[in-house]
């Protein structure tokens, strides 16, 4: 006995058949904590950039900052910063 298969012809090739609609949600939409960089403490050692699992540390002229749209708030950057230049603060509603 053969089973009828669902019509997948309308599903884009870069999506799995379950996720038929690409979610516009970014990590910044659901994050509970966010990192804040103390610019006067940052020495641009780039350790945070190295450890950030989603590569959202952004190099500025004199410090490293965070792309908050992509940051998921894991806190690894704050843990690894050797100069304690990053602290995690609770995310509040805009
Ligand atoms: S790890 Fe700390 S001191 Fe080093 S670049 Fe990142 S924020 Fe600055
Ligand atoms: S909190 Fe996590 S995701 Fe956000 S910048 Fe730090 S290491 Fe990257």
């Amino acid at each position: 006995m053969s089973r009828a298969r669902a019509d997948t012809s309308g599903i884009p090739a870069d999506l799995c058949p379950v996720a038929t609609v690409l979610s516009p949600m970014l990590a910044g939409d659901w994050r509970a904590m966010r990192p804040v960089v103390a610019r006067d403490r940052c020495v641009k050692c780039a350790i945070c950039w190295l450890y950030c699992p989603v590569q959202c540390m952004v190099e500025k002229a004199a410090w490293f900052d965070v792309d908050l749209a992509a940051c998921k708030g894991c806190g690894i950057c704050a843990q690894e910063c050797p100069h304690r230049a990053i602290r995690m603060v609770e995310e509040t509603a805009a």
Side-chain angles (χ1 to χ4, degrees):
M1 183 170 82
S2 66
R3 281 184 168 174
R5 289 181 171 250
D7 177 15
T8 58
S9 60
I11 300 174
D14 59 345
L15 289 179
C16 83
V18 177
T20 56
V21 179
L22 187 62
S23 172
M25 186 173 271
L26 293 171
D29 298 326
W30 49 258
R31 177 183 59 227
M33 303 286 285
R34 70 183 153 91
V36 176
V37 180
R39 298 175 183 180
D40 57 334
R41 297 183 73 123
C42 178
V43 298
K44 287 195 77 177
C45 65
I47 296 290
C48 54
W49 176 86
L50 190 66
Y51 277 91
C52 176
V54 291
Q55 288 289 290
C56 63
M57 296 305 301
V58 181
E59 184 177 9
K60 302 288 187 180
W63 73 92
F64 271 76
D65 212 341
V66 183
D67 173 3
L68 288 173
C71 169
K72 61 181 180 176
C74 65
I76 292 174
C77 55
Q79 283 290 319
E80 298 298 334
C81 174
H83 293 272
R84 296 283 179 257
I86 304 175
R87 66 189 172 94
M88 300 300 292
V89 299
E90 195 169 341
E91 196 65 71
T92 54

